[in-house]
C-alpha cells in the first residue's frame, strides 16, 4: 500500500511538472475535449494491457521451468525419488531459464509503456499526453491495489487450507482435498498478481510520466504541441 501510494504521488507530481513544462492551460486539458477524453480512455486501458502481458510472461517462464525440471527427472537417475548416490540437479540451468525469461519477457511490456506517451505526443500533441497520463495513473492505482490484495488473498487462502483450518461437514480439508486443489489453482494466479503485475504497475505510473516530462519540449516541435494529426476543436466542429 505504501509503495502504491508513493508511486501515485510521484506520478502526480511528474504529471503536474509536465503540465507546467508544456504550458498547458486548464481549458487545454479539459475532459470536455474529445481528444483529451479519448486519450484518457486509452491511458486507462494501458495498465490492464500491461498486466495481461506480465501475467502471460510469468506463465511462459513457468512452463519453460517445468519442462527443464521434467528433463532433469528423466535424464538424471534417482533424482525424482531422491535415491542415495544420484547425480546432483542442474541448478544453474534453472537459474539461467529464470533470468533469461525475466529479461526477455519484459521487453514487450516495457515497449508498451515507453512508446505509448511518445507516439501520443508526436501524433496528437501535448494535451493528449496529459489525458493519457491522467487515465494511466488513475487506472494503475486501482489495478495495483486490486492485484496486490487479490493475489495476497488467494495466496493466504491456500496456506489457510494447508493449516487445516477449513472444515466441510466436520471433515478437515487438508492437502489433497478438492478444496485444497482449488486453492492451489487460485494461488497459481495470485502469486504473479501480487509479486509481478501489482508491483510493476508502480513503475508504469512513474515511467510514463517521467518520459512525458523529458520529451515535453520535443512534443512542442510538432505543430506547436498540437501533434502531426492536428485535431483541434475547430477541425472537429467542421
Amino acid at each position: 500500500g505504501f509503495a502504491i501510494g508513493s508511486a501515485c504521488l510521484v506520478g502526480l507530481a511528474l504529471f503536474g511538472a509536465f503540465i507546467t513544462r508544456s504550458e498547458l492551460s486548464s481549458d487545454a486539458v479539459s475532459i470536455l475535449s474529445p481528444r483529451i477524453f479519448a486519450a484518457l480512455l486509452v491511458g486507462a486501458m494501458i495498465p490492464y494491457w500491461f498486466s495481461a502481458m506480465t501475467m502471460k510472461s510469468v506463465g511462459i517462464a513457468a512452463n519453460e521451468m517445468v519442462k527443464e525440471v521434467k528433463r532433469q527427472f528423466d535424464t538424471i537417475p534417482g533424482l525424482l525419488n531422491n535415491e542415495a548416490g544420484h547425480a546432483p540437479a542442474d541448478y544453474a540451468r534453472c537459474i539461467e531459464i529464470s533470468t533469461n525469461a525475466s529479461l526477455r519477457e519484459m521487453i514487450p511490456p516495457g515497449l508498451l509503456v515507453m512508446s505509448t506517451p511518445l507516439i501520443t505526443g508526436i501524433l496528437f500533441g501535448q494535451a493528449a499526453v496529459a489525458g493519457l497520463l491522467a487515465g494511466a495513473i488513475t487506472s494503475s492505482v486501482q489495478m495495483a491495489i486490486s492485484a496486490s490484495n487479490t493475489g495476497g488473498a488467494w495466496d493466504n487462502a491456500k496456506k489457510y487450507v494447508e493449516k487445516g483450518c477449513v472444515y466441510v461437514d466436520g471433515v478437515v480439508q487438508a492437502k489433497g482435498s478438492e478444496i485444497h486443489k482449488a486453492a492451489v489453482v487460485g494461488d497459481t494466479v495470485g502469486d504473479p498478481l501480487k509479486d509481478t503485475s501489482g508491483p510493476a504497475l508502480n513503475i508504469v505510473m512513474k515511467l510514463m510520466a517521467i518520459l512525458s516530462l523529458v520529451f515535453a519540449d520535443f512534443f512542442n516541435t510538432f505543430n506547436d504541441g498540437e501533434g502531426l494529426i492536428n485535431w483541434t476543436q475547430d477541425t472537429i466542429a467542421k
Side-chain angles (χ1 to χ4, degrees):
F2 287 106
I4 297 171
S6 173
C8 177
L9 290 176
V10 171
L12 184 61
L14 292 171
F15 172 75
F18 171 76
I19 296 296
T20 302
R21 183 69 177 176
S22 302
E23 298 181 351
L24 294 172
S25 64
S26 58
D27 292 336
V29 293
S30 172
I31 196 175
L32 297 178
S33 167
R35 178 170 51 174
I36 303 302
F37 188 74
L40 184 73
L41 293 179
V42 173
M45 290 187 287
I46 294 298
Y48 291 91
W49 190 358
F50 176 86
S51 297
M53 296 174 75
T54 54
M55 291 287 289
K56 184 178 180 180
S57 297
V58 171
I60 293 173
N63 189 45
E64 292 180 8
M65 188 68 71
V66 168
K67 290 180 179 179
E68 173 60 23
V69 171
K70 183 181 184 302
R71 183 194 68 81
Q72 294 191 28
F73 282 155
D74 293 339
T75 57
I76 303 177
L79 179 62
L80 178 60
N81 298 321
N82 196 25
E83 298 175 2
H86 68 76
D90 188 359
Y91 301 110
R93 176 55 184 159
C94 294
I95 295 173
E96 181 183 358
I97 290 174
S98 179
T99 304
N100 290 342
S102 66
L103 297 175
R104 181 185 67 249
E105 294 299 327
M106 278 308 297
I107 293 175
L111 288 176
L112 171 68
V113 173
M114 297 176 67
S115 63
T116 303
L118 298 181
I119 294 174
T120 302
I122 293 172
L123 294 181
F124 304 108
Q126 295 170 319
V129 175
L132 182 81
L133 293 179
I137 293 173
T138 304
S139 185
S140 291
V141 172
Q142 297 174 354
M143 190 69 179
I145 294 174
S146 175
S148 298
N149 284 281
T150 303
W154 279 336
D155 183 29
N156 291 330
K158 187 195 72 169
K159 296 175 182 176
Y160 190 71
V161 174
E162 291 176 347
K163 286 183 65 177
C165 298
V166 177
Y167 294 83
V168 176
D169 297 329
V171 179
V172 177
Q173 302 298 307
K175 287 185 177 181
S177 65
E178 291 300 319
I179 288 183
H180 179 256
K181 293 177 182 178
V184 170
V185 173
D187 181 53
T188 302
V189 181
D191 275 338
L193 265 180
K194 70 181 180 64
D195 296 328
T196 303
S197 297
L201 286 171
N202 297 338
I203 308 300
V204 171
M205 289 182 264
K206 294 182 285 188
L207 184 57
M208 290 185 68
I210 198 168
L211 276 174
S212 301
L213 176 59
V214 170
F215 284 91
D217 291 338
F218 175 69
F219 298 151
N220 195 46
T221 61
F222 297 95
N223 289 332
D224 294 327
E226 293 295 332
L228 294 177
I229 304 177
N230 189 7
W231 286 350
T232 61
Q233 286 292 124
D234 293 337
T235 303
I236 295 173
K238 294 178 183 179

PDB file of all heavy atoms in Angstrom, residues 103-134:
ATOM      1  N   LEU A 103      14.259 -11.191 -18.282  1.00  0.00           N
ATOM      2  CA  LEU A 103      14.728 -10.097 -19.134  1.00  0.00           C
ATOM      3  C   LEU A 103      13.989 -10.082 -20.473  1.00  0.00           C
ATOM      4  O   LEU A 103      13.543  -9.031 -20.944  1.00  0.00           O
ATOM      5  CB  LEU A 103      16.234 -10.237 -19.379  1.00  0.00           C
ATOM      6  CG  LEU A 103      17.128 -10.130 -18.138  1.00  0.00           C
ATOM      7  CD1 LEU A 103      18.573 -10.417 -18.497  1.00  0.00           C
ATOM      8  CD2 LEU A 103      17.010  -8.752 -17.501  1.00  0.00           C
ATOM      9  N   ARG A 104      13.852 -11.238 -21.083  1.00  0.00           N
ATOM     10  CA  ARG A 104      13.237 -11.329 -22.408  1.00  0.00           C
ATOM     11  C   ARG A 104      11.758 -10.957 -22.385  1.00  0.00           C
ATOM     12  O   ARG A 104      11.279 -10.203 -23.246  1.00  0.00           O
ATOM     13  CB  ARG A 104      13.402 -12.750 -22.943  1.00  0.00           C
ATOM     14  CG  ARG A 104      12.824 -12.952 -24.341  1.00  0.00           C
ATOM     15  CD  ARG A 104      12.903 -14.410 -24.774  1.00  0.00           C
ATOM     16  NE  ARG A 104      12.020 -15.267 -23.975  1.00  0.00           N
ATOM     17  CZ  ARG A 104      12.445 -16.175 -23.115  1.00  0.00           C
ATOM     18  NH1 ARG A 104      13.736 -16.366 -22.911  1.00  0.00           N
ATOM     19  NH2 ARG A 104      11.576 -16.915 -22.425  1.00  0.00           N
ATOM     20  N   GLU A 105      11.043 -11.446 -21.389  1.00  0.00           N
ATOM     21  CA  GLU A 105       9.594 -11.253 -21.357  1.00  0.00           C
ATOM     22  C   GLU A 105       9.176  -9.848 -20.936  1.00  0.00           C
ATOM     23  O   GLU A 105       8.010  -9.484 -21.081  1.00  0.00           O
ATOM     24  CB  GLU A 105       8.949 -12.279 -20.413  1.00  0.00           C
ATOM     25  CG  GLU A 105       9.073 -13.718 -20.880  1.00  0.00           C
ATOM     26  CD  GLU A 105       8.391 -13.943 -22.212  1.00  0.00           C
ATOM     27  OE1 GLU A 105       7.360 -13.293 -22.480  1.00  0.00           O
ATOM     28  OE2 GLU A 105       8.882 -14.771 -22.999  1.00  0.00           O
ATOM     29  N   MET A 106      10.115  -9.060 -20.415  1.00  0.00           N
ATOM     30  CA  MET A 106       9.761  -7.689 -20.039  1.00  0.00           C
ATOM     31  C   MET A 106       9.954  -6.701 -21.179  1.00  0.00           C
ATOM     32  O   MET A 106       9.618  -5.524 -21.050  1.00  0.00           O
ATOM     33  CB  MET A 106      10.597  -7.239 -18.830  1.00  0.00           C
ATOM     34  CG  MET A 106      10.053  -7.711 -17.492  1.00  0.00           C
ATOM     35  SD  MET A 106       8.304  -7.321 -17.259  1.00  0.00           S
ATOM     36  CE  MET A 106       8.327  -5.536 -17.276  1.00  0.00           C
ATOM     37  N   ILE A 107      10.483  -7.173 -22.303  1.00  0.00           N
ATOM     38  CA  ILE A 107      10.682  -6.268 -23.444  1.00  0.00           C
ATOM     39  C   ILE A 107       9.355  -5.764 -24.012  1.00  0.00           C
ATOM     40  O   ILE A 107       9.163  -4.550 -24.157  1.00  0.00           O
ATOM     41  CB  ILE A 107      11.537  -6.949 -24.530  1.00  0.00           C
ATOM     42  CG1 ILE A 107      12.965  -7.177 -24.020  1.00  0.00           C
ATOM     43  CG2 ILE A 107      11.570  -6.105 -25.803  1.00  0.00           C
ATOM     44  CD1 ILE A 107      13.851  -7.944 -24.985  1.00  0.00           C
ATOM     45  N   PRO A 108       8.390  -6.647 -24.341  1.00  0.00           N
ATOM     46  CA  PRO A 108       7.112  -6.137 -24.882  1.00  0.00           C
ATOM     47  C   PRO A 108       6.354  -5.217 -23.916  1.00  0.00           C
ATOM     48  O   PRO A 108       5.906  -4.137 -24.336  1.00  0.00           O
ATOM     49  CB  PRO A 108       6.324  -7.424 -25.186  1.00  0.00           C
ATOM     50  CG  PRO A 108       7.370  -8.473 -25.392  1.00  0.00           C
ATOM     51  CD  PRO A 108       8.454  -8.131 -24.427  1.00  0.00           C
ATOM     52  N   PRO A 109       6.198  -5.583 -22.617  1.00  0.00           N
ATOM     53  CA  PRO A 109       5.519  -4.637 -21.722  1.00  0.00           C
ATOM     54  C   PRO A 109       6.264  -3.314 -21.579  1.00  0.00           C
ATOM     55  O   PRO A 109       5.641  -2.247 -21.497  1.00  0.00           O
ATOM     56  CB  PRO A 109       5.469  -5.393 -20.379  1.00  0.00           C
ATOM     57  CG  PRO A 109       5.618  -6.827 -20.732  1.00  0.00           C
ATOM     58  CD  PRO A 109       6.494  -6.855 -21.925  1.00  0.00           C
ATOM     59  N   GLY A 110       7.599  -3.386 -21.571  1.00  0.00           N
ATOM     60  CA  GLY A 110       8.378  -2.153 -21.467  1.00  0.00           C
ATOM     61  C   GLY A 110       8.189  -1.258 -22.675  1.00  0.00           C
ATOM     62  O   GLY A 110       8.055  -0.036 -22.546  1.00  0.00           O
ATOM     63  N   LEU A 111       8.161  -1.869 -23.851  1.00  0.00           N
ATOM     64  CA  LEU A 111       7.934  -1.091 -25.072  1.00  0.00           C
ATOM     65  C   LEU A 111       6.549  -0.463 -25.080  1.00  0.00           C
ATOM     66  O   LEU A 111       6.373   0.673 -25.539  1.00  0.00           O
ATOM     67  CB  LEU A 111       8.108  -1.985 -26.303  1.00  0.00           C
ATOM     68  CG  LEU A 111       9.534  -2.419 -26.638  1.00  0.00           C
ATOM     69  CD1 LEU A 111       9.537  -3.374 -27.816  1.00  0.00           C
ATOM     70  CD2 LEU A 111      10.412  -1.213 -26.930  1.00  0.00           C
ATOM     71  N   LEU A 112       5.565  -1.184 -24.560  1.00  0.00           N
ATOM     72  CA  LEU A 112       4.203  -0.648 -24.490  1.00  0.00           C
ATOM     73  C   LEU A 112       4.160   0.622 -23.652  1.00  0.00           C
ATOM     74  O   LEU A 112       3.624   1.648 -24.075  1.00  0.00           O
ATOM     75  CB  LEU A 112       3.254  -1.699 -23.906  1.00  0.00           C
ATOM     76  CG  LEU A 112       1.839  -1.213 -23.568  1.00  0.00           C
ATOM     77  CD1 LEU A 112       1.081  -0.872 -24.846  1.00  0.00           C
ATOM     78  CD2 LEU A 112       1.091  -2.272 -22.760  1.00  0.00           C
ATOM     79  N   VAL A 113       4.753   0.554 -22.466  1.00  0.00           N
ATOM     80  CA  VAL A 113       4.710   1.691 -21.538  1.00  0.00           C
ATOM     81  C   VAL A 113       5.530   2.867 -22.059  1.00  0.00           C
ATOM     82  O   VAL A 113       5.122   4.030 -21.934  1.00  0.00           O
ATOM     83  CB  VAL A 113       5.218   1.249 -20.149  1.00  0.00           C
ATOM     84  CG1 VAL A 113       5.356   2.443 -19.216  1.00  0.00           C
ATOM     85  CG2 VAL A 113       4.272   0.220 -19.545  1.00  0.00           C
ATOM     86  N   MET A 114       6.670   2.581 -22.661  1.00  0.00           N
ATOM     87  CA  MET A 114       7.557   3.657 -23.093  1.00  0.00           C
ATOM     88  C   MET A 114       7.115   4.281 -24.415  1.00  0.00           C
ATOM     89  O   MET A 114       7.306   5.483 -24.625  1.00  0.00           O
ATOM     90  CB  MET A 114       8.990   3.118 -23.220  1.00  0.00           C
ATOM     91  CG  MET A 114       9.581   2.633 -21.914  1.00  0.00           C
ATOM     92  SD  MET A 114      11.221   1.907 -22.092  1.00  0.00           S
ATOM     93  CE  MET A 114      12.176   3.350 -22.555  1.00  0.00           C
ATOM     94  N   SER A 115       6.540   3.492 -25.295  1.00  0.00           N
ATOM     95  CA  SER A 115       6.182   4.018 -26.616  1.00  0.00           C
ATOM     96  C   SER A 115       4.846   4.758 -26.634  1.00  0.00           C
ATOM     97  O   SER A 115       4.648   5.676 -27.445  1.00  0.00           O
ATOM     98  CB  SER A 115       6.137   2.877 -27.640  1.00  0.00           C
ATOM     99  OG  SER A 115       5.136   1.939 -27.306  1.00  0.00           O
ATOM    100  N   THR A 116       3.933   4.387 -25.736  1.00  0.00           N
ATOM    101  CA  THR A 116       2.595   4.987 -25.768  1.00  0.00           C
ATOM    102  C   THR A 116       2.617   6.510 -25.590  1.00  0.00           C
ATOM    103  O   THR A 116       2.019   7.232 -26.401  1.00  0.00           O
ATOM    104  CB  THR A 116       1.688   4.342 -24.703  1.00  0.00           C
ATOM    105  OG1 THR A 116       1.627   2.932 -24.926  1.00  0.00           O
ATOM    106  CG2 THR A 116       0.290   4.911 -24.780  1.00  0.00           C
ATOM    107  N   PRO A 117       3.279   7.062 -24.558  1.00  0.00           N
ATOM    108  CA  PRO A 117       3.284   8.530 -24.452  1.00  0.00           C
ATOM    109  C   PRO A 117       4.046   9.203 -25.585  1.00  0.00           C
ATOM    110  O   PRO A 117       3.678  10.314 -26.003  1.00  0.00           O
ATOM    111  CB  PRO A 117       3.959   8.785 -23.095  1.00  0.00           C
ATOM    112  CG  PRO A 117       4.717   7.540 -22.791  1.00  0.00           C
ATOM    113  CD  PRO A 117       3.953   6.430 -23.406  1.00  0.00           C
ATOM    114  N   LEU A 118       5.081   8.544 -26.105  1.00  0.00           N
ATOM    115  CA  LEU A 118       5.845   9.146 -27.193  1.00  0.00           C
ATOM    116  C   LEU A 118       5.010   9.210 -28.471  1.00  0.00           C
ATOM    117  O   LEU A 118       4.964  10.248 -29.138  1.00  0.00           O
ATOM    118  CB  LEU A 118       7.122   8.336 -27.445  1.00  0.00           C
ATOM    119  CG  LEU A 118       8.117   8.259 -26.280  1.00  0.00           C
ATOM    120  CD1 LEU A 118       9.350   7.454 -26.681  1.00  0.00           C
ATOM    121  CD2 LEU A 118       8.523   9.643 -25.814  1.00  0.00           C
ATOM    122  N   ILE A 119       4.351   8.119 -28.813  1.00  0.00           N
ATOM    123  CA  ILE A 119       3.511   8.104 -30.013  1.00  0.00           C
ATOM    124  C   ILE A 119       2.348   9.077 -29.866  1.00  0.00           C
ATOM    125  O   ILE A 119       2.006   9.813 -30.807  1.00  0.00           O
ATOM    126  CB  ILE A 119       2.994   6.675 -30.273  1.00  0.00           C
ATOM    127  CG1 ILE A 119       4.157   5.755 -30.633  1.00  0.00           C
ATOM    128  CG2 ILE A 119       1.946   6.673 -31.386  1.00  0.00           C
ATOM    129  CD1 ILE A 119       3.764   4.299 -30.767  1.00  0.00           C
ATOM    130  N   THR A 120       1.743   9.100 -28.681  1.00  0.00           N
ATOM    131  CA  THR A 120       0.622  10.011 -28.446  1.00  0.00           C
ATOM    132  C   THR A 120       1.054  11.459 -28.579  1.00  0.00           C
ATOM    133  O   THR A 120       0.366  12.277 -29.205  1.00  0.00           O
ATOM    134  CB  THR A 120       0.029   9.773 -27.049  1.00  0.00           C
ATOM    135  OG1 THR A 120      -0.390   8.413 -26.931  1.00  0.00           O
ATOM    136  CG2 THR A 120      -1.166  10.686 -26.795  1.00  0.00           C
ATOM    137  N   GLY A 121       2.199  11.801 -28.004  1.00  0.00           N
ATOM    138  CA  GLY A 121       2.674  13.183 -28.069  1.00  0.00           C
ATOM    139  C   GLY A 121       3.032  13.619 -29.479  1.00  0.00           C
ATOM    140  O   GLY A 121       2.751  14.751 -29.880  1.00  0.00           O
ATOM    141  N   ILE A 122       3.641  12.711 -30.248  1.00  0.00           N
ATOM    142  CA  ILE A 122       4.038  13.051 -31.614  1.00  0.00           C
ATOM    143  C   ILE A 122       2.819  13.193 -32.525  1.00  0.00           C
ATOM    144  O   ILE A 122       2.737  14.121 -33.330  1.00  0.00           O
ATOM    145  CB  ILE A 122       5.003  11.987 -32.169  1.00  0.00           C
ATOM    146  CG1 ILE A 122       6.337  12.033 -31.396  1.00  0.00           C
ATOM    147  CG2 ILE A 122       5.252  12.192 -33.657  1.00  0.00           C
ATOM    148  CD1 ILE A 122       7.279  10.899 -31.732  1.00  0.00           C
ATOM    149  N   LEU A 123       1.868  12.291 -32.394  1.00  0.00           N
ATOM    150  CA  LEU A 123       0.721  12.290 -33.308  1.00  0.00           C
ATOM    151  C   LEU A 123      -0.385  13.243 -32.875  1.00  0.00           C
ATOM    152  O   LEU A 123      -0.990  13.920 -33.716  1.00  0.00           O
ATOM    153  CB  LEU A 123       0.157  10.877 -33.433  1.00  0.00           C
ATOM    154  CG  LEU A 123       1.054   9.834 -34.093  1.00  0.00           C
ATOM    155  CD1 LEU A 123       0.340   8.494 -34.173  1.00  0.00           C
ATOM    156  CD2 LEU A 123       1.501  10.283 -35.467  1.00  0.00           C
ATOM    157  N   PHE A 124      -0.670  13.304 -31.573  1.00  0.00           N
ATOM    158  CA  PHE A 124      -1.863  14.035 -31.109  1.00  0.00           C
ATOM    159  C   PHE A 124      -1.546  15.225 -30.203  1.00  0.00           C
ATOM    160  O   PHE A 124      -2.467  15.922 -29.789  1.00  0.00           O
ATOM    161  CB  PHE A 124      -2.804  13.075 -30.383  1.00  0.00           C
ATOM    162  CG  PHE A 124      -3.195  11.888 -31.208  1.00  0.00           C
ATOM    163  CD1 PHE A 124      -2.693  10.636 -30.921  1.00  0.00           C
ATOM    164  CD2 PHE A 124      -4.049  12.032 -32.292  1.00  0.00           C
ATOM    165  CE1 PHE A 124      -3.037   9.539 -31.692  1.00  0.00           C
ATOM    166  CE2 PHE A 124      -4.404  10.939 -33.065  1.00  0.00           C
ATOM    167  CZ  PHE A 124      -3.891   9.688 -32.771  1.00  0.00           C
ATOM    168  N   GLY A 125      -0.288  15.436 -29.863  1.00  0.00           N
ATOM    169  CA  GLY A 125       0.076  16.640 -29.136  1.00  0.00           C
ATOM    170  C   GLY A 125       0.188  16.482 -27.637  1.00  0.00           C
ATOM    171  O   GLY A 125      -0.129  15.435 -27.057  1.00  0.00           O
ATOM    172  N   GLN A 126       0.631  17.550 -27.001  1.00  0.00           N
ATOM    173  CA  GLN A 126       0.890  17.544 -25.560  1.00  0.00           C
ATOM    174  C   GLN A 126      -0.387  17.387 -24.742  1.00  0.00           C
ATOM    175  O   GLN A 126      -0.388  16.721 -23.709  1.00  0.00           O
ATOM    176  CB  GLN A 126       1.601  18.848 -25.169  1.00  0.00           C
ATOM    177  CG  GLN A 126       2.977  18.994 -25.775  1.00  0.00           C
ATOM    178  CD  GLN A 126       3.546  20.382 -25.568  1.00  0.00           C
ATOM    179  OE1 GLN A 126       2.830  21.384 -25.692  1.00  0.00           O
ATOM    180  NE2 GLN A 126       4.835  20.468 -25.274  1.00  0.00           N
ATOM    181  N   ALA A 127      -1.464  17.990 -25.189  1.00  0.00           N
ATOM    182  CA  ALA A 127      -2.719  17.900 -24.435  1.00  0.00           C
ATOM    183  C   ALA A 127      -3.200  16.456 -24.369  1.00  0.00           C
ATOM    184  O   ALA A 127      -3.714  15.994 -23.337  1.00  0.00           O
ATOM    185  CB  ALA A 127      -3.782  18.786 -25.079  1.00  0.00           C
ATOM    186  N   ALA A 128      -3.044  15.719 -25.469  1.00  0.00           N
ATOM    187  CA  ALA A 128      -3.446  14.312 -25.474  1.00  0.00           C
ATOM    188  C   ALA A 128      -2.602  13.490 -24.509  1.00  0.00           C
ATOM    189  O   ALA A 128      -3.098  12.567 -23.863  1.00  0.00           O
ATOM    190  CB  ALA A 128      -3.341  13.748 -26.890  1.00  0.00           C
ATOM    191  N   VAL A 129      -1.322  13.837 -24.395  1.00  0.00           N
ATOM    192  CA  VAL A 129      -0.447  13.142 -23.438  1.00  0.00           C
ATOM    193  C   VAL A 129      -0.924  13.379 -22.016  1.00  0.00           C
ATOM    194  O   VAL A 129      -0.881  12.473 -21.174  1.00  0.00           O
ATOM    195  CB  VAL A 129       1.018  13.609 -23.607  1.00  0.00           C
ATOM    196  CG1 VAL A 129       1.905  12.980 -22.539  1.00  0.00           C
ATOM    197  CG2 VAL A 129       1.530  13.255 -24.987  1.00  0.00           C
ATOM    198  N   ALA A 130      -1.386  14.591 -21.749  1.00  0.00           N
ATOM    199  CA  ALA A 130      -1.918  14.886 -20.419  1.00  0.00           C
ATOM    200  C   ALA A 130      -3.117  13.998 -20.108  1.00  0.00           C
ATOM    201  O   ALA A 130      -3.229  13.444 -19.001  1.00  0.00           O
ATOM    202  CB  ALA A 130      -2.315  16.362 -20.333  1.00  0.00           C
ATOM    203  N   GLY A 131      -4.022  13.833 -21.063  1.00  0.00           N
ATOM    204  CA  GLY A 131      -5.155  12.936 -20.860  1.00  0.00           C
ATOM    205  C   GLY A 131      -4.714  11.501 -20.693  1.00  0.00           C
ATOM    206  O   GLY A 131      -5.255  10.761 -19.865  1.00  0.00           O
ATOM    207  N   LEU A 132      -3.724  11.093 -21.475  1.00  0.00           N
ATOM    208  CA  LEU A 132      -3.191   9.733 -21.381  1.00  0.00           C
ATOM    209  C   LEU A 132      -2.632   9.466 -19.986  1.00  0.00           C
ATOM    210  O   LEU A 132      -2.898   8.419 -19.381  1.00  0.00           O
ATOM    211  CB  LEU A 132      -2.111   9.536 -22.438  1.00  0.00           C
ATOM    212  CG  LEU A 132      -1.471   8.150 -22.506  1.00  0.00           C
ATOM    213  CD1 LEU A 132      -2.362   7.202 -23.291  1.00  0.00           C
ATOM    214  CD2 LEU A 132      -0.092   8.221 -23.156  1.00  0.00           C
ATOM    215  N   LEU A 133      -1.848  10.402 -19.465  1.00  0.00           N
ATOM    216  CA  LEU A 133      -1.238  10.231 -18.147  1.00  0.00           C
ATOM    217  C   LEU A 133      -2.295  10.179 -17.048  1.00  0.00           C
ATOM    218  O   LEU A 133      -2.188   9.371 -16.112  1.00  0.00           O
ATOM    219  CB  LEU A 133      -0.248  11.368 -17.866  1.00  0.00           C
ATOM    220  CG  LEU A 133       1.000  11.404 -18.735  1.00  0.00           C
ATOM    221  CD1 LEU A 133       1.871  12.595 -18.355  1.00  0.00           C
ATOM    222  CD2 LEU A 133       1.790  10.118 -18.606  1.00  0.00           C
ATOM    223  N   ALA A 134      -3.299  11.040 -17.148  1.00  0.00           N
ATOM    224  CA  ALA A 134      -4.355  11.049 -16.138  1.00  0.00           C
ATOM    225  C   ALA A 134      -5.066   9.701 -16.084  1.00  0.00           C
ATOM    226  O   ALA A 134      -5.321   9.155 -15.004  1.00  0.00           O
ATOM    227  CB  ALA A 134      -5.351  12.171 -16.435  1.00  0.00           C
TER     228      ALA A 134
END
